[in-house]
């Protein structure tokens, strides 16, 4: 099972997040452009919900059997995850440095905040200037590191225990929604805080268990209908979003349709899944992590340039930035992301073996 359709869907999820960050369109003089941003693009943050659910699903697919059978240990597993996200994070973290300290006069970010971002612990801090610091989208990597650390322990939990955890986390979300916290604090505790977003990850983990144990291969026509139905349900949820309170729309509201989209496309059957297996779309999906981490830097540097040279930031600029961001992501992926991943893995795995050897040597009594 290659999951190529899901790989391609990662590109569209990253594209949604990118569109939500084209905030200059909200100030457009064109009423139609402003309307499209306010009613469609801004809601693109829901791509993060897709990514977090998919993370639980894919980690279960890739590591559940190997960890449970002890084919790999905790160090090898964490080394693979750190090697996957940290190298590109550090590159984009460094690229954000001029924006933080030199090019944006309104920036009030401190050196301590900047290094908090680099260490990927920023999403534990309610202060917006901390969790949305440096390369802002990296807050979600802080959450992912939390999920990665918990994953081997969550694997040992039965379905009832995980369903209980889902219930507790849902109570958390609704309690925050009903609280008298400020809107900014509700945004943090419903959208950013790792414990809150653990809900998505655990749903993905349960989704894979159900899929691997109960899901049966569907005929081509049925698979196509299921995929159309999942996308249709997501479209319905999107259409009625205006009647849902914003704190719930940050995550809880979209979990069901996003989960159904993931399970519907975790197959190589169906016309839509086959269309998503197009090599170009798969490549864009593989480059989606780079797109996610680099797109806002592209936008922010463009805004600095536009301010210096009086370039208009309008719908045409948005199209150009979209094309540039996608091109940058593909170049990053093909040019050095894969190489950095392999290099980091080659350094971390031997380090783990050296540490194990050192511990074993220390335990061996000398003659």
């Amino acid at each position: 099972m290659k999951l190529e359709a899901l790989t391609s869907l990662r590109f569209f999820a990253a594209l949604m997040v990118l569109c939500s960050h084209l905030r200059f369109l909200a100030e457009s003089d064109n009423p139609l452009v402003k309307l499209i941003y306010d009613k469609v693009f801004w809601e693109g943050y829901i791509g993060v919900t897709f990514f977090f659910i998919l993370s639980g699903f894919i980690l279960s697919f890739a590591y559940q059997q190997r960890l449970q059978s002890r084919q790999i240990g905790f160090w090898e597993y964490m080394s693979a995850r750190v090697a996957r996200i940290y190298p590109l994070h550090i590159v984009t973290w460094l690229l954000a440095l001029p924006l933080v300290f030199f090019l944006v006069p309104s920036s009030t970010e401190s050196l301590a905040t900047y290094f908090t971002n680099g260490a990927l612990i920023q999403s534990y801090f309610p202060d917006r200037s901390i969790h949305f610091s440096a390369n802002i989208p990296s807050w979600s990597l802080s959450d992912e590191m939390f999920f990665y650390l918990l994953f081997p322990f969550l694997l040992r939990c039965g379905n009832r225990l995980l369903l209980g955890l889902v219930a507790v986390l849902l109570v958390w979300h609704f309690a925050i929604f009903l609280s008298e916290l400020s809107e900014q604090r509700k945004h943090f505790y419903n959208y950013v805080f790792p414990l809150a977003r653990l809900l998505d990850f655990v749903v993905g983990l349960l989704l894979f268990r159900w899929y691997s144990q109960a899901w049966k291969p569907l005929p081509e026509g049925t698979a196509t209908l299921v995929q159309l139905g999942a996308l249709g349900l997501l479209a319905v949820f999107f259409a009625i979003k205006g009647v849902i309170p914003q704190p719930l729309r940050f995550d809880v509201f979209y979990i069901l349709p996003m989960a159904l989209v993931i399970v519907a496309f975790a197959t190589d059957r169906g016309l839509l899944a086959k269309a998503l297996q197009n090599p170009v779309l798969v490549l864009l999906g593989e480059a989606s992590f780079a797109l996610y981490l680099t797109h806002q830097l592209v936008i922010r540097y463009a805004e600095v340039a536009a301010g210096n040279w009086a370039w208009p930031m309008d719908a045409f600029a948005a199209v150009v930035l979209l094309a540039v961001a996608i091109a940058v992501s593909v170049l990053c992926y093909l040019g050095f992301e894969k190489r950095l991943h392999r290099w980091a893995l080659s350094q971390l795995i031997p380090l783990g073996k050296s540490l194990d050897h050192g511990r074993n040597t220390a335990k061996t009594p000398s003659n």
Side-chain angles (χ1 to χ4, degrees):
M1 188 163 62
K2 294 183 178 180
L3 304 181
E4 288 185 335
L6 288 179
T7 299
S8 296
L9 284 178
R10 284 167 41 198
F11 165 69
F12 293 101
L15 195 61
M16 292 167 69
V17 176
L18 185 159
C19 288
S20 74
H21 290 150
L22 296 171
R23 293 191 177 92
F24 57 85
L25 294 179
E27 308 300 325
S28 175
D29 294 330
N30 186 321
L32 179 59
V33 171
K34 180 177 172 56
L35 180 68
I36 291 173
Y37 178 80
D38 290 342
K39 300 299 183 183
V40 181
F41 285 5
W42 188 80
E43 201 81 4
Y45 58 79
I46 67 175
V48 177
T49 298
F50 175 86
F51 281 125
F52 284 163
I53 298 174
L54 185 65
S55 181
F57 189 92
I58 294 297
L59 254 67
S60 297
F61 169 74
Y63 292 106
Q64 178 174 291
Q65 185 176 1
R66 288 193 287 166
L67 282 169
Q68 290 178 335
S69 63
R70 299 189 177 181
Q71 294 178 29
I72 62 171
F74 182 76
W75 181 273
E76 289 85 357
Y77 155 74
M78 279 304 298
S79 294
R81 303 324 304 157
V82 169
R84 173 72 180 92
I85 69 172
Y86 232 97
L88 190 58
H89 163 60
I90 293 299
V91 170
T92 54
W93 177 68
L94 292 172
L95 289 173
L97 189 147
L99 290 167
V100 171
F101 295 112
F102 304 110
L103 297 179
V104 181
S106 60
S107 175
T108 58
E109 192 167 321
S110 68
L111 197 60
T113 297
Y114 181 72
F115 279 97
T116 298
N117 181 286
L120 289 181
I121 57 174
Q122 70 270 41
S123 64
Y124 297 91
F125 295 88
D127 189 332
R128 186 181 181 89
S129 67
I130 298 177
H131 60 252
F132 283 169
S133 57
N135 185 30
I136 296 170
S138 65
W139 70 265
S140 66
L141 302 189
S142 179
D143 285 16
E144 286 282 5
M145 288 298 293
F146 176 68
F147 305 156
Y148 294 163
L149 287 168
L150 287 183
F151 178 67
F153 305 99
L154 293 172
L155 280 181
R156 301 178 183 179
C157 299
N159 291 342
R160 288 185 180 180
L161 187 56
L162 290 181
L163 286 170
L165 179 57
V166 166
V168 169
L169 293 172
L170 282 172
V171 169
W172 167 279
H173 278 272
F174 280 93
I176 295 299
F177 162 59
L178 295 172
S179 73
E180 296 183 0
L181 291 170
S182 68
E183 291 304 310
Q184 193 277 325
R185 282 292 190 263
K186 288 183 179 181
H187 175 263
F188 171 74
Y189 285 114
N190 279 140
Y191 184 70
V192 177
F193 192 45
L195 187 62
R197 301 316 293 262
L198 183 62
L199 173 62
D200 305 336
F201 185 78
V202 174
V203 166
L205 198 155
L206 284 167
L207 192 66
F208 178 79
R209 290 187 183 184
W210 173 74
Y211 178 83
S212 61
Q213 295 169 10
W215 185 270
K216 299 185 184 303
L218 299 174
E220 289 286 340
T222 305
T224 300
L225 290 176
V226 169
Q227 290 155 14
L228 285 171
L231 291 176
L233 183 65
L234 178 59
V236 169
F237 272 59
F238 195 89
I240 66 171
K241 65 183 185 297
V243 301
I244 305 299
Q246 185 61 67
L248 298 181
R249 279 163 52 193
F250 282 134
D251 185 28
V252 170
F253 177 63
Y254 288 105
I255 288 178
L256 175 61
M258 287 297 189
L260 292 179
V261 166
I262 288 170
V263 77
F265 284 91
T267 177
D268 58 357
R269 299 188 178 192
L271 293 177
L272 297 183
K274 289 186 183 299
L276 288 171
Q277 292 168 36
N278 178 282
V280 174
L281 288 177
V282 173
L283 172 62
L284 291 174
E286 290 172 337
S288 63
F289 180 58
L291 178 61
Y292 182 80
L293 278 189
T294 61
H295 76 270
Q296 201 171 58
L297 292 175
V298 171
I299 294 170
R300 290 166 69 188
Y301 273 109
E303 288 175 334
V304 170
N308 289 337
W309 286 287
W311 294 341
M313 295 297 284
D314 51 16
F316 177 75
V319 173
V320 172
L321 288 174
L322 178 65
V324 170
I326 292 173
V328 167
S329 70
V330 173
L331 290 173
C332 283
Y333 175 71
L334 296 176
F336 59 84
E337 182 189 342
K338 292 194 294 184
R339 295 176 187 174
L340 286 174
H341 177 214
R342 289 194 295 267
W343 175 83
L345 202 56
S346 71
Q347 301 301 308
L348 290 169
I349 296 296
L351 177 60
K353 292 179 179 178
S354 297
L355 291 173
D356 283 340
H357 176 73
R359 284 194 294 267
N360 292 334
T361 301
K363 292 177 182 178
T364 303
S366 57
N367 292 329

